Amino acid sequence: MAKVKTAFFCQSCGTQFSKWQGQCTACKQWNTIVEEVIQKEEKVAWKTDVSPTKKVAKPLLVHEIDSTEEIRMNTTDGELNRVLGGGLVPGSLTLLGGEPGIGKSTLLLQISLKLPYKTLYVSGEESQKQIKMRAERITTQNDNCYILTETKTQNIFRQIEAIEPDVVIIDSIQTLQTDYIESSAGSISQIKECTAELIKFAKETNTPVILIGHITKDGNIAGPKILEHMVDTVLQFEGDRNHIYRILRSLKNRFGSTAELGIYEMQGSGLREVANPSEILISHKEEELSGTAIATTMEGMRPIMIEIQALVSTAVYGTPQRSTTGYNAKRLNMILAVLEKRAGFRLGAKDVFLNITGGITVDDTAIDLAVVGAILSSNEDIPVGKDICFAGEVGLSGEIRPVNRIEQRIQEAEKLGFSTIFVSKYNKITTQDFAIQVKLVAKIEDVVSELFG
């Protein structure tokens, strides 16, 4: 048994100190440094048999390295496959974070019940009966999914050796603890040591491991920041608990793009994949109403049609209000200033409320033109045709600037049945055989004359 040692760790960033101090010099947070007892044995939790003939890694020239693509494991979930970059990579470690109750456990249990591989679902938060009740609600039968309720890593590895699963899911990393560290579960040292043991297991056995991580009130994954550096992929499960839609984003991915997005709908029987997000983001109404416009936005390689609603009314209390939901408030103020200065609309004494339907937040500047269309439609009380959509960025001089991937946006609008799309005159469009009418505009005045002239 090694000698007992104590060290001081910052609970915010995980920096280690030799003595206590009031402020962490790394992250500048106050009163976050706590003392933890460290006691490690010489043996390790997961150790494969090492034979004398085992090959030792040696350096290779770049052209000598095997460049064949890694075979990925299909998760049978199209949205998760897209965000991961094509599926689970053998030997990878994936960390999934999100708000409490957002559906992290439901998502992974649902996937583990669908996987055609032998899966071990380890829970440190719920009993086997509770998980069984959720599995029955999801109503998916599977003979390959094993459920284990355990928090000690040594016991988990014993079961892994007995079952030999193809995929391991841990719910959650903050509940695990190892005998080789004498501190409570969820502490900095426990999280680091348990993750290190799981990484060693994943890399040596080529088994993918998925971890669920708690998040703090600031929205960051709880525990040391080094946890996110240790894993291969970090996924964020987002959404408003009052809405039925959930968004899965990739914050870090060593095997694919971090720009991809997955959308789910929360139902009583689990999470449903939303293959066509435009169906949930565009309202279906019989009559045309003023103040609405449709924009084409991009999430990674995926074009999405969203509906923007605006309400412009006379300021009752003298000071006009500017309120936005899902859109940058500062950018709204900029667009209103451009409309007043360049297009002559007197909006300085009017309340302006802007909303992106579906409860999502969009940072794409290509929706600026649709924001202009919705605001002017509400101000003039003239509806924009429901078969018209927009894709363009608005500059400070009132010009309509080009946006990226314009042909994909046009094709998505055409596929969904729109007849006209407004784009910047300066966009380079190579394909000309679109069934949809593409209107090229250079300034805000051109848009106004086309819509309301």
Side-chain angles (χ1 to χ4, degrees):
M1 184 73 69
K3 184 180 179 181
V4 175
K5 294 183 180 179
T6 62
F8 295 86
F9 291 92
C10 173
Q11 298 283 9
S12 178
C13 67
T15 306
Q16 182 175 344
F17 298 90
S18 59
K19 61 180 180 179
W20 185 88
Q21 56 192 55
Q23 185 186 31
C24 174
T25 55
C27 65
K28 306 302 181 185
Q29 296 292 319
W30 288 90
N31 298 324
T32 58
I33 297 175
V34 296
E35 183 180 15
E36 293 185 3
V37 178
I38 301 177
Q39 183 177 348
K40 297 186 75 170
E41 294 185 14
E42 293 180 358
K43 57 183 179 180
V44 293
W46 176 264
K47 187 175 181 179
T48 54
D49 295 331
V50 180
S51 62
T53 59
K54 186 178 180 181
K55 291 183 179 180
V56 179
K58 64 176 183 177
L60 295 174
L61 292 171
V62 174
H63 66 271
E64 295 177 342
I65 301 174
D66 183 14
S67 60
T68 55
E69 191 172 346
E70 185 79 51
I71 298 175
R72 294 174 182 258
M73 302 170 70
N74 182 14
T75 65
T76 70
D77 187 301
E79 299 297 296
L80 181 60
N81 281 345
R82 175 188 286 110
V83 176
L84 288 173
L88 280 173
V89 175
S92 66
L93 213 73
T94 303
L95 177 62
L96 174 65
E99 293 277 351
I102 204 70
K104 304 184 295 298
S105 300
T106 301
L107 175 65
L108 292 188
L109 179 61
Q110 182 173 306
I111 290 168
S112 62
L113 290 171
K114 290 181 180 178
L115 280 173
Y117 311 102
K118 188 186 294 186
T119 308
L120 177 62
Y121 185 97
V122 182
S123 177
E125 300 181 340
E126 296 176 292
S127 67
Q128 290 176 320
K129 288 185 178 179
Q130 288 175 306
I131 298 172
K132 169 69 172 176
M133 290 169 61
R134 184 187 290 143
E136 289 177 343
R137 177 168 57 84
I138 296 173
T139 62
T140 304
Q141 298 298 323
N142 189 304
D143 296 329
N144 296 323
C145 182
Y146 293 85
I147 306 297
L148 173 65
T149 302
E150 184 59 68
T151 58
K152 190 176 293 188
T153 57
Q154 285 70 33
N155 296 340
I156 293 172
F157 287 130
R158 287 193 195 99
Q159 298 301 325
I160 287 174
E161 288 180 353
I163 297 174
E164 295 183 351
D166 299 315
V167 180
V168 176
I169 296 174
I170 305 292
D171 182 11
S172 63
I173 186 62
Q174 278 82 9
T175 62
L176 295 192
Q177 61 183 122
T178 174
D179 286 340
Y180 309 127
I181 297 288
E182 284 194 354
S183 59
S184 59
S187 63
I188 298 284
S189 52
Q190 282 285 4
I191 292 175
K192 288 169 62 178
E193 183 65 21
C194 292
T195 305
E197 291 177 7
L198 289 167
I199 289 175
K200 186 175 179 63
F201 157 73
K203 302 303 179 187
E204 292 186 357
T205 62
N206 217 26
T207 304
V209 178
I210 304 177
L211 311 176
I212 291 180
H214 298 164
I215 67 169
T216 63
K217 61 181 180 181
D218 299 326
N220 301 316
I221 294 177
K225 194 69 178 175
I226 194 174
L227 175 62
E228 296 179 42
H229 293 287
M230 294 170 74
V231 300
D232 298 308
T233 306
V234 180
L235 305 180
Q236 186 84 7
F237 207 35
E238 303 172 354
D240 190 341
R241 294 176 67 179
N242 299 319
H243 289 82
I244 61 174
Y245 302 112
R246 304 286 187 268
I247 295 176
L248 184 66
R249 297 183 189 273
S250 175
L251 304 182
K252 170 191 173 182
N253 193 351
R254 288 177 179 158
F255 312 111
S257 171
T258 57
E260 292 298 342
L261 181 85
I263 299 181
Y264 296 88
E265 180 183 0
M266 179 63 83
Q267 297 180 335
S269 58
L271 290 157
R272 180 183 76 88
E273 302 172 45
V274 179
N276 179 19
S278 303
E279 73 183 49
I280 66 173
L281 300 174
I282 298 179
S283 304
H284 301 284
K285 48 186 181 294
E286 297 295 330
E287 56 181 313
E288 294 185 351
L289 300 173
S290 64
T292 63
I294 307 298
T296 63
T297 183
M298 295 291 296
E299 286 288 350
M301 301 292 292
R302 188 179 200 176
I304 299 176
M305 309 296 289
I306 59 173
E307 180 178 328
I308 295 174
Q309 299 177 335
L311 179 63
V312 180
S313 60
T314 305
V316 179
Y317 301 108
T319 303
Q321 300 181 66
R322 304 282 188 261
S323 177
T324 64
T325 303
Y327 188 70
N328 192 318
K330 291 182 179 179
R331 193 156 189 86
L332 173 63
N333 290 331
M334 184 204 79
I335 289 176
L336 294 175
V338 171
L339 287 174
E340 186 142 353
K341 178 75 173 180
R342 305 296 180 187
F345 289 93
R346 302 300 174 198
L347 301 172
K350 295 187 177 180
D351 292 337
V352 179
F353 303 93
L354 194 75
N355 175 46
I356 296 179
T357 59
I360 67 169
T361 300
V362 179
D363 297 325
D364 189 3
T365 55
I367 70 173
D368 288 352
L369 198 53
V371 171
V372 168
I375 291 172
L376 296 184
S377 170
S378 179
N379 186 58
E380 301 294 320
D381 202 19
I382 300 174
V384 176
K386 57 184 178 181
D387 58 345
I388 297 175
C389 60
F390 304 86
E393 179 184 347
V394 176
L396 287 177
S397 60
E399 83 277 14
I400 310 301
R401 298 175 57 81
V403 296
N404 63 346
R405 305 189 184 278
I406 187 63
E407 293 186 1
Q408 285 180 260
R409 299 173 193 263
I410 295 173
Q411 288 168 359
E412 179 72 8
E414 181 182 322
K415 185 175 70 174
L416 293 175
F418 288 89
S419 63
T420 307
I421 181 170
F422 285 82
V423 302
S424 172
K425 181 181 179 181
Y426 309 107
N427 260 118
K428 294 180 181 178
I429 303 175
T430 56
T431 308
Q432 302 296 333
D433 56 346
F434 293 114
I436 187 174
Q437 182 182 7
V438 181
K439 292 207 172 185
L440 305 176
V441 289
K443 298 182 294 184
I444 285 182
E445 294 91 319
D446 300 342
V447 182
V448 174
S449 61
E450 288 281 354
L451 292 177
F452 313 110

